Amino acid sequence: MNVLLIGSGGREHALAWALTASPLLDRLYCAPGNAGIASLAQCVALDPADHEAVARFCRQHAIGLVVVGPEVPLVAGLADSLTAEGIKVFGPSKEAARLEGSKGYTKDLCAEFGIPTAAYGRFRDAASARAYLAKQSKLPIVVKADGLAAGKGVIIATTRAEAEAGIDACFSGAFGAAGAEVVIEEFLDGEEASFFALVDGEHALALVTAQDHKCVGDGDTGPNTGGMGAYSPAPVMTPALIERTMAEIIRPTVAAMKKRGTPFRGVLFAGLMITADGPKLIEYNVRLGDPETQVLMMRLKSDVLAALLATVDGVLDRFSLRWHDDAALTVVMAAQGYPGTPRTGTEIRGLDLAASMPDVEIFHSGTRADGDRILADGGRVLAVTARGKTVAEAQAKAYAAIAQIDWPGGFCRRDIGWRAVEREQAAAKATS
Ligand code: AMP
Ligand code: GLY
């Protein structure tokens, strides 16, 4: 089968890497792709916003499955347009993608179906948002633009003044149309985890657990990013917590979407806070995570294409996934300036040497080729990924590979995986 993958990040490079290992795959195309993906797939200049052009490409190239990486085309209804043309697509419909496209939609769904999440209010004007804020006694408090804001649009306010400024920023258009509506919610205390499940409209199949580092600086400090590194498994997600998450959050959501007549098909990504009362939903994404996918693909033993097809075909109840016991860890290398305005166009050297190290894969997130040179072309630029018996071992291998990369224009965190490594050390001490 020929597959068209939509996207250009490290998530898509990792998916392309896993897809090309599938015996079911004939040709892989990627739109638009990047310099790393180009070594695995034929990159094509297709605009995912032009649904008719994507459909035409699929007909011309006998595409058997379209895999949509990012959320924006899903929220814009690309899956609906392709499905209407009889083209198979992995990714939810526009209606089901509202789980990511509108935070208020998801909060209301949680309220209606008893899914644990932060207490909230939903507002269309600053005056009512401020009135609600005035009645809240606890700080910090969280102000969110309702719509897609590319990872921005979430203000964790430690003072009332900050919360008011956040409300005003949303309604004055700082986040464009995404801020036309605002959610104000309770601050949840705990450790975050990324939880993924394949969902075929009716059945959900959990993937292995992962954890992301959202802050730009070591020790989880500084501004929020798309994710500076990730690892799997996430030891915070014990088997009991996984089962609670499936029973209290994922399965009720799948049932609710089916009941509403807008069944969810694709991958449901729950951002969780593990609180003293158990797992609570921070938000849903309707796609795989970046950089979580990089570590998930390193651990996946089964054929990813078969899994995506089982999801689209609605047969997940008769499907299972096999995983490597090994841990995986990825460190994102970003361009200086990120998460503000990144400096692009700087040259990256030493990638071949780094990639030749055992158990290491380098996924490109934002690169372009200029002849033989690889140039930075985005905020997050590389995801240096390694597998090891433990998270600590994977971490050591990833940083050893990074030491081979010569890129003065880039930086990375030096402590990806610290929580898991601490837990591993504590467990080793307890048994020695
Ligand atoms: P979101 O885009 O909704 O995932 O929010 C981005 C990040 O803000 C999350 O990964 C959390 O670290 C943080 N965050 C969002 N909502 C809350 C909340 N209610 N309580 C604590 N932290 C939150
Ligand atoms: N790494 C978090 C995300 O993909 O949204």
Side-chain angles (χ1 to χ4, degrees):
M1 141 177 320
N2 297 335
V3 172
L4 171 64
L5 175 62
I6 306 276
S8 64
R11 166 182 51 212
E12 287 76 24
H13 191 179
L15 281 171
W17 177 75
L19 283 166
T20 49
S22 170
L24 299 174
L25 183 79
D26 286 323
R27 295 197 68 136
L28 179 63
Y29 300 89
C30 186
N34 64 35
I37 294 171
S39 66
L40 298 169
Q42 184 177 333
C43 293
V44 288
L46 263 181
D47 177 6
D50 186 346
H51 297 182
E52 187 37 50
V54 177
R56 203 178 320 121
F57 180 91
C58 292
R59 287 191 297 267
Q60 283 166 354
H61 296 83
I63 299 295
L65 181 69
V66 178
V67 180
V68 185
E71 66 278 12
V72 169
L74 294 167
V75 172
L78 179 60
D80 309 65
S81 302
L82 296 176
T83 305
E85 302 257 352
I87 299 161
K88 270 192 191 181
V89 47
F90 179 84
S93 68
K94 181 176 182 162
E95 254 320 285
R98 291 182 75 191
L99 285 172
E100 178 163 2
S102 167
K103 294 186 191 292
Y105 173 88
T106 294
K107 298 299 288 188
D108 285 355
L109 182 116
C110 288
E112 185 179 339
F113 294 91
I115 296 165
T117 187
Y120 75 107
R122 199 179 167 182
F123 308 97
R124 289 179 187 279
D125 64 87
S128 48
R130 279 166 173 267
Y132 175 86
L133 176 67
K135 284 185 277 167
Q136 306 308 309
S137 56
K138 276 196 288 180
L139 288 170
I141 192 157
V142 187
V143 178
K144 296 184 176 180
D146 181 75
L148 294 185
K152 308 200 168 73
V154 173
I155 299 118
I156 314 254
T158 50
T159 64
R160 275 173 198 286
E162 267 174 50
E164 284 172 5
I167 292 168
D168 292 343
C170 288
F171 287 117
S172 65
F175 307 110
E181 193 172 324
V182 165
V183 169
I184 301 180
E185 65 181 39
E186 167 199 12
F187 178 80
L188 296 173
D189 222 346
E191 187 172 334
E192 283 187 66
S194 300
F195 193 86
F196 300 90
L198 295 176
V199 176
D200 66 5
E202 195 159 354
H203 320 99
L205 177 64
L207 308 188
V208 288
T209 59
Q211 201 170 58
D212 178 17
H213 291 266
K214 290 243 166 80
C215 295
V216 75
D218 284 5
D220 295 320
T221 55
N224 234 26
T225 70
M228 293 302 290
Y231 55 94
S232 172
V236 66
M237 291 302 290
T238 59
L241 276 175
I242 292 171
E243 188 37 46
R244 275 189 73 176
T245 302
M246 289 299 285
E248 296 170 19
I249 298 177
I250 302 292
R251 284 190 213 110
T253 302
V254 173
M257 296 304 282
K258 187 179 172 208
K259 185 165 171 228
R260 285 185 171 185
T262 56
F264 185 93
R265 293 190 189 89
V267 60
L268 193 55
F269 166 5
L272 300 178
M273 190 70 84
I274 310 306
T275 71
D277 302 328
K280 291 196 178 178
L281 181 71
I282 301 175
E283 63 157 5
Y284 272 132
N285 298 300
V286 298
R287 49 161 177 92
L288 283 161
D290 189 343
E292 290 93 332
T293 304
Q294 288 84 318
V295 289
L296 294 177
M297 292 304 111
M298 285 290 266
R299 293 192 63 208
L300 183 63
K301 223 189 249 182
S302 304
D303 177 354
V304 73
L305 183 48
L308 302 181
L309 286 169
T311 307
V312 176
D313 291 341
V315 295
L316 281 179
D317 55 330
R318 283 175 276 143
F319 198 84
S320 65
L321 288 168
R322 288 174 315 125
W323 301 89
H324 292 286
D325 290 333
D326 283 2
L329 180 139
T330 189
V331 180
V332 169
M333 298 187 79
Q336 300 288 354
Y338 180 76
T341 308
R343 210 179 127 215
T344 58
T346 54
E347 186 178 355
I348 306 163
R349 295 197 188 87
L351 285 174
D352 288 345
L353 190 58
S356 70
M357 297 176 71
D359 304 320
V360 169
E361 292 295 331
I362 298 186
F363 299 117
H364 292 217
S365 305
T367 59
R368 68 186 165 84
D370 173 31
D372 284 345
R373 302 191 313 152
I374 298 291
L375 305 180
D377 193 33
R380 294 189 293 171
V381 174
L382 299 168
V384 181
T385 313
R387 215 159 61 190
K389 291 263 167 292
T390 58
V391 175
E393 195 182 303
Q395 183 194 53
K397 288 182 188 174
Y399 282 110
I402 283 175
Q404 302 301 325
I405 297 175
D406 174 15
W407 180 32
F411 73 97
C412 65
R413 278 182 59 164
R414 306 302 318 183
D415 64 345
I416 298 302
W418 67 269
R419 278 199 185 83
V421 171
E422 269 180 11
R423 279 199 177 89
E424 284 175 357
Q425 283 166 349
K429 220 180 246 168
T431 56
S432 70

